[in-house]
Amino acid sequence: MNGQDGQDERSGRDGGPPTVTYRAEYAWLNGTVEPDVDLDVADGRITAVRTGAGTDTGATAPDASAVRLRGLTVPGLANAHSHAFHRALRGTVQVGSGTFWTWREVMYQVASRLTPDTYFALARAVYAEMALAGVTAVGEFHYLHHARGGVRYDDPNAMGHALIAAAGEAGIRITLLDTCYLSAGFGKAPDTHQSRFSDGTAEAWAERADALRPDARAREYATVGAAVHSVRAVPADQLATVAEWAREREAPLHVHLSEQTAENDACLAAHGRTPTQLLAEHGVTGPRTTAVHATHLTDADIALLGGSHTGVCMCPTTERDLADGIGPAAALQRAGSPLSLGSDSHAVIDLLEEARALELDERLRTRTRGHWTAAQLLRAASEHGHAALGRPDAGRLEPGAPADFATVALDSVRTAGPEPRLATEAVVFAAGAADVRHTVVAGRHVVRDGEHTAVGDVAGALREAVRACHA
């Protein structure tokens, strides 16, 4: 994983790995804002957290070698649901009107043009954009597996390897959620576009997914999980195969759930039960599972998800861009489902926007305020997202945690004014991706002063990669 640009290091104690100290002007520690905080980092992890740093009377004497982080430093953000190639749709699908289903046809056209090389270039730029937005880990819901016509590449996982390599070049962690996608609907074979997604059977999917193993270098930042695309795309009698694959490997398992009422209606017609009930009957739900969207649920569905501690990833900017609706996030959390966040189709890539949208959409739905505190929303964007991606030790600024964090400016036109004690509220409810000044992943300074240290011109890389998708 690239992204470190010459910072001072000190030899560790007893000949251990060298230590880098990051000095945060303010840091978000266990839900509170603390001034002058030192974060010691060695071998990719936080080894010490010291408050009152940088003053003669503080816990730590001034250290000229410390890397200054001006603003509020928070745990690295986790983008728990991404389709990297959808970034090429930005702008294009905002023309005119339509529905989710007409949007999907445009998406298929972009998918049909991608190769491992062009997908690598696009994903590298997209993941670099995420790093600029303070994202340190992404969950890539990956179903674009094969060449046109469903022909396998010489390396059947060429597209997956391209995504893993792209994350490494962009300097962020990736959980590649290899997705089983077998049908066009209940009892329907894949159409021409979907043939690139299908392995034919869940057993064939499992055999290919089992061969997708990051090399020694990539294992530093990449892990492989599984996904059921949806109950539309995986026949009921093959759901358990995917669930068992994930269970045997203790890997995260994600699934699109009830994003559209049409899916619910078709599932009821085919099986006499809701998608949530169908997934539960076949062992897909549970604490290592994350349901994505979960927009149109019955009360019984909410109880099933919460009672099994199935996580739910909300993607508010995509759900409103596609006119999906507002999901019952507050009810799901009350029932026992931890909430995470994703940018999904990348109409925008801004996890702070996703976080506040969770609260603001609920306000619109209920016409009341204050469903989540700023701290709770920040945890959804960080700690809970990392857990959903199979990294439960991440998302906190504490010794032993991965050294993944981001610093958000408190002196921009969006964040200037509030007292430092209100920095969390200012960041969650007013800041955006453009206010991220620093991103550190595994101790490496990936974004410094708003510039990516490995991908010099991210906008230019995006422009060229998106053009190639429409050529």
Side-chain angles (χ1 to χ4, degrees):
M1 182 166 57
N2 297 327
Q4 184 166 336
D5 63 330
Q7 53 206 25
D8 293 328
E9 295 182 343
R10 305 187 308 279
S11 294
R13 293 180 179 178
D14 303 321
T19 297
V20 176
T21 297
Y22 288 92
R23 177 152 296 160
E25 181 183 19
Y26 297 96
W28 191 74
L29 304 180
N30 196 29
T32 63
V33 176
E34 297 285 349
D36 300 320
V37 176
D38 271 2
L39 303 170
D40 283 354
V41 173
D43 200 24
R45 290 189 175 268
I46 298 172
T47 57
V49 177
R50 299 188 300 278
T51 59
T55 64
D56 291 328
T57 58
T60 306
D63 183 354
S65 69
V67 180
R68 263 59 174 184
L69 303 176
R70 185 178 178 187
L72 177 66
T73 296
V74 300
L77 306 180
N79 191 348
H81 189 66
S82 162
H83 301 291
F85 76 91
H86 290 190
R87 174 62 177 80
L89 302 173
R90 189 183 295 179
T92 302
V93 290
Q94 274 73 42
V95 176
S97 59
T99 66
F100 168 87
W101 308 103
T102 56
W103 168 90
R104 193 175 68 159
E105 292 304 314
V106 181
M107 179 269 287
Y108 286 159
Q109 291 298 324
V110 169
S112 71
R113 299 185 181 100
L114 286 165
T115 68
D117 287 342
T118 57
Y119 205 5
F120 165 79
L122 177 61
R124 175 179 179 266
V126 173
Y127 297 153
E129 181 182 357
M130 291 185 193
L132 289 171
V135 171
T136 60
V138 61
E140 184 61 38
F141 200 102
H142 167 55
Y143 55 83
L144 184 52
H145 301 304
H146 307 301
R148 289 186 181 184
V151 176
R152 289 196 171 202
Y153 291 104
D154 291 340
D155 171 7
N157 287 304
M159 295 297 251
H161 286 136
L163 290 164
I164 289 171
E169 290 282 329
I172 69 172
R173 302 183 192 271
I174 184 170
T175 297
L176 190 74
L177 298 160
D178 196 288
T179 302
C180 188
Y181 193 134
L182 306 174
S183 60
F186 297 95
K188 297 179 181 178
D191 64 22
T192 301
H193 294 304
Q194 295 163 335
S195 64
R196 295 196 70 178
F197 310 157
S198 177
D199 289 296
T201 66
E203 289 75 13
W205 165 84
E207 182 180 357
R208 181 189 52 72
D210 206 39
L212 179 57
R213 298 182 181 182
D215 61 25
R217 177 176 174 274
R219 283 196 293 273
E220 177 188 356
Y221 64 90
T223 188
V224 176
V228 170
H229 179 273
S230 58
V231 294
R232 290 181 290 107
V234 179
D237 62 359
Q238 300 191 56
L239 290 169
T241 299
V242 185
E244 184 61 25
W245 188 96
R247 186 161 40 250
E248 287 178 354
R249 291 156 183 79
E250 297 185 347
L253 174 63
H254 289 214
V255 55
H256 288 136
L257 177 62
S258 293
E259 183 177 4
Q260 296 289 320
T261 55
E263 175 183 292
N264 291 355
D265 295 342
C267 189
L268 285 166
H271 296 288
R273 49 188 50 77
T274 67
T276 300
Q277 291 170 330
L278 190 67
L279 293 174
E281 287 180 7
H282 291 275
V284 177
T285 55
R288 279 199 302 273
T289 298
T290 297
V292 181
H293 302 304
T295 309
H296 303 285
L297 303 179
T298 66
D299 289 344
D301 291 338
I302 293 170
L304 268 175
L305 293 172
S308 62
H309 301 293
T310 300
V312 175
C313 178
M314 295 293 183
C315 306
T317 64
T318 291
E319 288 151 8
R320 63 194 185 198
D321 182 58
L322 297 181
D324 289 343
I326 300 171
L332 283 161
Q333 187 173 59
R334 286 194 298 270
S337 291
L339 301 180
S340 56
L341 297 165
S343 63
D344 192 3
S345 69
H346 311 314
V348 298
I349 293 176
D350 188 338
L351 265 290
L352 298 173
E353 172 64 23
E354 305 291 348
R356 64 175 157 267
L358 193 66
E359 167 69 23
L360 298 180
D361 284 358
E362 189 71 7
R363 291 181 187 185
L364 285 176
R365 193 178 70 81
T366 64
R367 291 182 290 174
T368 60
R369 304 175 77 231
H371 302 276
W372 293 277
T373 66
Q376 289 172 320
L377 295 172
L378 189 52
R379 285 195 176 92
S382 55
E383 182 177 346
H384 295 168
H386 291 291
L389 299 180
R391 295 189 178 90
D393 59 339
R396 297 179 296 278
L397 300 181
E398 62 184 33
D404 300 352
F405 40 88
T407 304
V408 185
L410 297 177
D411 57 358
S412 76
V413 293
R414 288 164 292 279
T415 58
E419 297 178 14
R421 65 183 179 84
L422 299 175
T424 311
E425 286 74 15
V427 164
V428 170
F429 284 100
D435 296 308
V436 173
R437 293 292 177 262
H438 303 277
T439 302
V440 174
V441 183
R444 301 178 177 95
H445 213 148
V446 176
V447 173
R448 183 189 287 270
D449 295 322
E451 299 290 334
H452 201 289
T453 59
V455 183
D457 180 7
V458 177
L462 284 164
R463 182 172 57 251
E464 294 304 313
V466 169
R467 283 177 179 172
C469 294
H470 294 285

